[in-house]
Amino acid sequence: MILNNRLSAEEYEANFSDIHPPFDKKEAALVEANRCLFCYDAPCIKQCPTSINIPKFIKQITTDNIKGSAHTIFDSNIFGGGCSRVCPVEKLCEGSCVYNLMHEDPIPIAKLQRYSTEKAIKEKWQLFNRKPSTGRRVAIIGAGPAGLSCAHGLSREGIDVTVFEKEAKGGGLMTYGIAAYKVTPEFCQDEVDFVTSLGGIKIEYNKELGKNISLGELKVQYDAVFLGIGVGLARQLEIPGEDLEGVVDAIEFIYNLRSKTFNQIPVGDKVVVIGLGMTAIDAATQAKRLGAKEVTIVYRRTQEEMPCTQVELDIAMLDGCTIKWLAAPKEVIGEEGKVTALVCSVMELGIADTSGRRAPADTGKTFTLEVDMIIKAAGQTPFKQLVDQNDLQNAGGKLVVKNNATNIDSVFAGGDCVNGGKEVVDAVQAGKDGAKAILEYLAMADSEVKMMNEIEPSAFNSFQNPVPNL
Amino acid sequence: MADISANFLGIKSPNPFWLASAPPTDKKINVLRAFEAGWGGVVWKTLGSQVKNVSSRYSAVNYNGSRVMGFNNIELISDRPLDTNLREIEECIKLFPDRAMIVSLMADNTRESWHELIKKVEDTGAHGVELNFGCPHGMTERGMGAAVGQDPEIARMVVEWVMEKAAIPVITKLTPNVHSVVPTGIAAVEGGSNALSLINTIQSVTGIDLDTFVPNPYVAGKSVFGGYCGPAVKPIALKFLATISQDETTRKVPVSGIGGISTWKDAVEFMLLGASNVQVCTAAMKHGFRIVEDLCEGLNNWMDEKGFATINDFIGKSVPTLTHWEDLDINYHHVAKIDQDKCIHCGLCYIACEDTSHQSISLAYGKPYNTYAIKEEECVGCNLCQLICPVENCITMEVQRKGEEYLNWKDFQRLGMALNDH
């Protein structure tokens, strides 16, 4: 049965408390910070999509220069606080820490990053100064990591930025799409406030592209537009019974979970999650933490090919979720319009597909799981219709860009809507790159204007510009 | 099992580890606890003229998260009544007759004061006295402590006063707050001192509070220079000790080594440079008296491993290996070698060599791991990369002699050999 309010307030609180608690004391942070070898041309920096100077910020913790440490982080990644909580560091910075090569625990980079950034956000440190306004105006669509990172980069250079956000809150997937035990709504709000505290960034909420704003209008009103619209549509299974009551998609499930109180979120007794990406893990673990009795994850390949990290898988396993490997959903069975079972095909791995992973093939055998709720987490698809409507060049919905510029003049893009859905930290870098591309675009436009202004008088006055006479 | 017992001027102790004259040896309760823990002897905290101590008294230097790498104090000599100290010394000797009891002394600068103090101490049954010519703070303002040790002639005079009276062995403790400890050491030996001990603490300012702007330790808005000790001073102590072991006058008397000794290895190093026993203070103040267990066990195991039956078998063994720079073999050359299987690609060797040495390490870019290798023809064999490499035995130094023969600087010049061309 699908029910909400399964647990007591205390149980909800315990189940959704911070999965990676911060250092509770300065001394504890210092022990780890002092372990850092301060590598030169450090592997951890190279593995960070935003290239945070990690050894430097850690060294700054040891010298009691927390403000400097926070500046080092935020200067490369304005979402350094959120990334310290949600980054799959085991495959990024921490995964490349040289201590791994000595078979010792890597430096807890994320935890140290959280240590510095948390203090900065809590104390509301003004770490950046905005240059005087240039009078240039840029519109950004989407107040997620890509959009706000772009906004921050632009505003620092004196660009006046307006961000249009379809939801009632900023933060994008940070706020609406990640497990609650990683980031709290309060933190997400604080982080958005921290980004915008620079000044020059106005966010207009409940404004959605294609509904109450249009790209055409924005192009006219602003000097440039940046699209950070993300992805957001759940990939459909396209199997019989998919429309039965009790079949939900993970994005919607997590969205609800993140925007309501935990006791408002209904969950089944026997839940199946389809897929094994980060979102699948977030859905499975949270279903369990909401009080589901059994949670089974169905994945069509093996552990070798799984898209989530081992750390994420371990969270699900420790939460008591079961994994069915080499199983693909074949048909959803229901009674009276409600889900009762999921028939799965038994798969085997064949030759490598385009992703380089061995492709699963149906063996013809099946098995049936008794379930009352199915959460689909088989990937997300871009807003294909939306981008087509706006004549934006795309590949299956993913925007095609060159140096963050779309096929439309003055319109730029970055983040999940371009890469199809990667980590928050990738979106932050895409926002930075987008800001750089826009600044170059505006500078070029400025210099063209300047040239126009200079050429005319100089053409008549050889004293001011003697070059033509030579 | 090796015999780690020590005999210093006829004063026997079950091991060569004494507690130095300092707060840990200030009272009967501390000394009894030390003896129970296994310390071979103590040098009772300095007795002498009446003083009053202040609060606070200590400060420290921490390094990369490691606390008390260096330690500093502004405490004066014992501020307890002399009679109380003397009574307690006597009681401790009776309770632990097999341990060494030395009493540190710093009398007012008159013959009579010294004679009177020595008489009283000898009456306790103490085995020896140590003359405190080294305390660098407070007492110096009254012409005592380091003020005596810094002037060989005053030191000689005071030692002579002491020797007129003393019936038990006399150790003179030297201050390091001089360009050389040898002149005072010679004066003390010529004055009749039976032994030397060194070093006392080094004058220091350990740090300044960046909020109050007052150096530490803090005493009502002010501070004073203190005496620095602990692991940080060990290399300085070893150097001073070596000079005493090399001088033909001072090397004739036994030396008690002091200065940052924390482990059995430190103790062995002092003994290899000529110390007949060692005194410990800061390490005990940091960890308690229990550290003596590993001091004894570690020494014992090392001696067994090396085949030394008694500590006399290795005392002074390293002294002859310290030579003059101009006698060093210029033909000796070694170069660094990086074991690529052990390398963790931290790049610390590269940046140190590139920025501050001889650009002798190559970098081949990799994502995420660069590969580093030694350019042997550029390497001068300075050891820097090996010293900073965090992996044991990853960088080793391989001998590649420039010539078969021993060649020193004097011969090099005489032969008119070519200097470096860079």
Side-chain angles (χ1 to χ4, degrees):
Chain A
M1 199 179 318
I2 300 181
L3 276 180
N4 62 4
N5 209 15
R6 284 172 177 262
L7 306 174
S8 68
E10 293 75 26
E11 285 170 321
Y12 281 122
E13 196 184 321
N15 288 354
F16 289 91
S17 66
D18 210 325
I19 193 162
H20 301 300
F23 288 113
D24 55 359
K25 284 198 182 77
K26 177 184 165 186
E27 289 75 15
L30 283 178
V31 167
E32 292 298 341
N34 276 309
R35 280 180 68 227
C36 175
L37 296 173
F38 200 48
C39 292
Y40 172 72
D41 197 21
C44 54
I45 304 177
K46 292 184 194 170
Q47 292 301 84
C48 173
T50 58
S51 308
I52 295 173
N53 191 337
I54 294 162
K56 181 179 170 187
F57 95 69
I58 293 179
K59 190 82 174 168
Q60 288 173 310
I61 293 176
T62 70
T63 69
D64 268 339
N65 181 8
I66 305 300
K67 201 171 267 184
S69 175
H71 183 271
T72 300
I73 297 163
F74 287 126
D75 193 39
S76 289
N77 180 342
I78 197 64
F79 276 82
C83 284
S84 75
R85 290 159 166 83
V86 306
C87 260
V89 289
E90 59 275 13
K91 67 175 184 185
L92 300 173
C93 55
E94 290 182 21
S96 69
C97 175
V98 299
Y99 272 107
N100 293 299
L101 302 175
M102 290 196 275
H103 306 288
E104 289 183 38
D105 288 341
I107 301 299
I109 297 167
K111 205 169 174 180
L112 289 165
Q113 184 170 317
R114 177 165 174 178
Y115 180 76
S116 295
T117 53
E118 200 159 62
K119 194 160 171 70
I121 292 174
K122 187 168 167 240
E123 306 281 337
K124 298 185 164 60
W125 283 336
Q126 280 297 327
L127 299 171
F128 302 97
N129 289 317
R130 182 172 192 252
K131 287 185 185 165
S133 175
T134 60
R136 292 291 197 172
R137 299 168 72 238
V138 171
I140 291 176
I141 306 180
L148 289 184
S149 159
C150 182
H152 196 265
L154 290 172
S155 182
R156 276 175 77 174
E157 297 301 319
I159 309 292
D160 296 324
V161 180
T162 305
V163 185
F164 298 94
E165 168 57 48
K166 68 176 176 180
E167 300 291 344
K169 289 179 190 167
L173 275 191
M174 286 288 286
T175 304
Y176 293 105
I178 281 169
Y181 50 73
K182 292 180 185 165
V183 279
T184 62
E186 294 74 31
F187 171 77
C188 292
Q189 187 59 53
D190 288 347
E191 182 159 59
V192 171
D193 292 345
F194 180 74
V195 176
T196 56
S197 68
L198 174 69
I201 304 170
K202 190 171 79 175
I203 306 183
E204 294 200 13
Y205 292 106
N206 305 306
K207 293 280 171 67
E208 184 171 353
L209 181 64
K211 286 199 177 153
N212 42 17
I213 46 170
S214 82
L215 190 54
E217 283 169 19
L218 295 180
K219 258 179 65 66
V220 173
Q221 292 163 9
Y222 293 87
D223 297 304
V225 180
F226 179 83
L227 301 172
I229 58 177
V231 290
L233 303 174
R235 178 167 288 128
Q236 298 306 301
L237 301 174
E238 285 158 11
I239 57 172
E242 195 171 355
D243 53 351
L244 287 165
E245 189 182 327
V247 182
V248 300
D249 75 65
I251 300 163
E252 185 189 337
F253 175 69
I254 296 170
Y255 177 93
N256 285 333
L257 204 145
R258 293 299 310 274
S259 35
K260 297 177 184 173
T261 58
F262 296 123
N263 63 1
Q264 290 177 305
I265 311 303
V267 68
D269 286 327
K270 293 183 173 184
V271 178
V272 161
V273 175
I274 293 163
L276 196 52
M278 296 297 209
T279 304
I281 297 284
D282 284 356
T285 53
Q286 295 192 106
K288 199 80 174 56
R289 286 162 191 249
L290 284 171
K293 294 194 176 101
E294 285 176 20
V295 173
T296 308
I297 298 172
V298 170
Y299 179 55
R300 61 195 183 127
R301 304 184 201 234
T302 71
Q303 196 164 347
E304 288 281 302
E305 297 84 23
M306 67 181 184
C308 73
T309 64
Q310 185 63 41
V311 170
E312 291 287 316
L313 183 69
D314 290 345
I315 298 172
M317 304 279 252
L318 286 170
D319 277 2
C321 302
T322 322
I323 322 283
K324 294 277 184 203
W325 304 102
L326 291 167
K330 185 178 169 69
E331 184 180 358
V332 183
I333 311 283
E335 282 171 23
E336 296 167 4
K338 292 182 183 172
V339 174
T340 58
L342 176 69
V343 179
C344 294
S345 300
V346 177
M347 312 299 277
E348 63 184 6
L349 291 183
I351 53 165
D353 63 12
T354 50
S355 73
R357 301 176 299 174
R358 294 176 67 193
D362 196 337
T363 61
K365 293 179 203 153
T366 63
F367 65 93
T368 304
L369 295 169
E370 273 186 44
V371 297
D372 55 10
M373 184 177 189
I374 295 173
I375 303 177
K376 299 182 287 185
Q380 299 171 30
T381 56
F383 297 105
K384 171 114 177 89
Q385 203 186 346
L386 182 67
V387 297
D388 280 341
Q389 278 167 1
N390 285 287
D391 299 323
L392 287 157
Q393 192 188 342
N394 66 83
K398 288 195 278 187
L399 293 172
V400 174
V401 297
K402 194 178 171 190
N403 288 339
N404 291 86
T406 68
N407 58 310
I408 301 175
D409 181 50
S410 86
V411 178
F412 297 78
D416 283 359
C417 62
V418 171
N419 65 35
K422 283 175 131 181
E423 308 299 341
V424 170
V425 65
D426 294 299
V428 174
Q429 183 59 33
K432 278 164 66 183
D433 293 341
K436 188 164 169 274
I438 291 170
L439 288 168
E440 282 164 7
Y441 168 81
L442 295 177
M444 203 176 292
D446 280 343
S447 65
E448 277 167 18
V449 171
K450 206 173 157 195
M451 272 170 67
M452 297 272 277
N453 290 342
E454 279 175 1
I455 286 166
E456 286 193 22
S458 63
F460 299 98
N461 189 339
S462 59
F463 290 105
Q464 280 185 4
N465 190 352
V467 179
N469 292 341
L470 291 176
Chain B
M1 286 280 276
D3 175 8
I4 63 166
S5 68
N7 182 338
F8 191 91
L9 296 170
I11 304 165
K12 290 177 182 162
S13 58
N15 60 58
F17 305 113
W18 292 359
L19 283 167
S21 167
T25 60
D26 186 30
K27 299 193 298 291
K28 179 182 170 186
I29 183 172
N30 301 94
V31 170
L32 291 184
R33 287 179 67 82
F35 285 161
E36 280 161 15
W39 288 86
V42 300
V43 182
W44 197 277
K45 185 170 165 81
T46 308
L47 308 183
S49 56
Q50 201 56 53
V51 300
K52 176 91 180 87
N53 276 303
V54 293
S55 170
S56 55
R57 301 179 191 181
Y58 308 140
S59 60
V61 173
N62 302 330
Y63 183 72
N64 278 5
S66 187
R67 298 187 80 81
V68 195
M69 176 197 76
F71 190 62
N72 171 69
N73 85 90
I74 58 166
E75 189 169 290
L76 304 182
I77 63 174
S78 177
D79 55 11
R80 307 169 75 217
L82 182 62
D83 289 346
T84 309
N85 276 310
L86 294 170
R87 191 186 69 242
E88 290 188 359
I89 288 167
E90 196 171 350
E91 287 166 359
C92 291
I93 293 167
K94 283 193 176 126
L95 286 166
F96 285 90
D98 65 327
R99 310 301 169 89
M101 174 63 77
I102 314 300
V103 180
S104 174
L105 302 178
M106 189 195 291
D108 291 333
N109 279 338
T110 67
R111 173 185 263 129
E112 293 68 33
S113 305
W114 279 98
H115 285 187
E116 190 186 341
L117 193 55
I118 286 164
K119 169 79 174 60
K120 285 180 177 172
V121 170
E122 287 185 344
D123 287 347
T124 66
H127 306 118
V129 294
E130 183 182 78
L131 311 182
N132 182 344
F133 290 176
C135 180
H137 48 264
M139 304 311 290
T140 52
E141 294 171 16
R142 309 180 196 185
M144 292 185 266
V148 176
Q150 283 163 340
D151 187 326
E153 288 317 307
I154 297 175
R156 182 197 307 271
M157 178 182 75
V158 176
V159 171
E160 283 170 354
W161 292 343
V162 168
M163 299 319 294
E164 288 164 6
K165 184 74 183 173
I168 55 176
V170 173
I171 308 165
T172 300
K173 185 167 178 176
L174 301 176
T175 176
N177 297 298
V178 286
H179 76 280
S180 167
V181 291
V182 174
T184 301
I186 291 172
V189 172
E190 288 175 351
S193 183
N194 305 113
L196 298 172
S197 61
L198 76 163
I199 58 171
N200 207 309
T201 55
I202 303 170
Q203 274 204 320
S204 71
V205 176
T206 48
I208 297 173
D209 185 310
L210 296 186
D211 294 318
T212 65
F213 308 111
V214 179
N216 48 46
Y218 177 95
V219 183
K222 300 282 184 189
S223 191
V224 291
F225 299 151
Y228 198 46
C229 54
V233 310
K234 190 189 95 174
I236 299 164
L238 284 174
K239 183 263 173 180
F240 278 131
L241 169 64
T243 60
I244 288 292
S245 296
Q246 287 170 326
D247 180 82
E248 62 184 47
T249 301
T250 51
R251 74 182 176 207
K252 287 178 188 142
V253 299
V255 180
S256 185
I258 312 167
I261 296 161
S262 309
T263 68
W264 65 267
K265 281 184 171 179
D266 297 333
V268 167
E269 287 169 6
F270 275 77
M271 293 164 88
L272 287 170
L273 281 183
S276 295
N277 75 1
V278 295
Q279 299 182 29
V280 177
C281 174
T282 308
M285 291 184 77
K286 191 177 174 194
H287 301 293
F289 294 138
R290 61 202 163 123
I291 61 164
V292 74
E293 293 167 23
D294 187 59
L295 287 174
C296 291
E297 290 166 24
L299 173 63
N300 212 315
N301 289 338
W302 178 79
M303 285 172 63
D304 282 348
E305 207 175 285
K306 297 291 175 192
F308 295 129
T310 74
I311 58 172
N312 295 319
D313 295 348
F314 66 89
I315 289 170
K317 202 172 173 57
S318 298
V319 176
T321 65
L322 277 168
T323 184
H324 297 289
W325 195 94
E326 63 179 15
D327 290 326
L328 293 173
D329 183 358
I330 287 176
N331 270 343
Y332 178 83
H333 183 67
H334 65 196
V335 295
K337 186 175 168 55
I338 300 173
D339 182 336
Q340 295 298 338
D341 293 334
K342 290 200 174 105
C343 177
I344 58 167
H345 316 284
C346 66
L348 296 179
C349 59
Y350 170 82
I351 196 59
C353 189
E354 194 70 11
D355 278 357
T356 71
S357 288
H358 298 86
Q359 298 77 43
S360 310
I361 300 178
S362 65
L363 182 161
Y365 180 84
K367 188 172 190 295
Y369 302 119
N370 299 340
T371 303
Y372 301 98
I374 302 294
K375 299 183 228 167
E376 284 194 11
E377 67 285 4
E378 301 290 335
C379 177
V380 302
C382 71
N383 294 347
L384 179 63
C385 58
Q386 186 202 29
L387 294 172
I388 59 174
C389 176
V391 181
E392 188 82 18
N393 295 326
C394 174
I395 299 183
T396 49
M397 305 305 292
E398 279 196 337
V399 178
Q400 294 182 355
R401 290 190 63 91
K402 293 286 189 189
E404 297 276 308
E405 309 296 315
Y406 163 81
L407 177 73
N408 66 32
W409 171 241
K410 289 168 286 188
D411 296 335
F412 187 91
Q413 281 182 304
R414 185 170 49 76
L415 296 168
M417 295 174 80
L419 293 168
N420 293 342
D421 58 2
H422 59 77

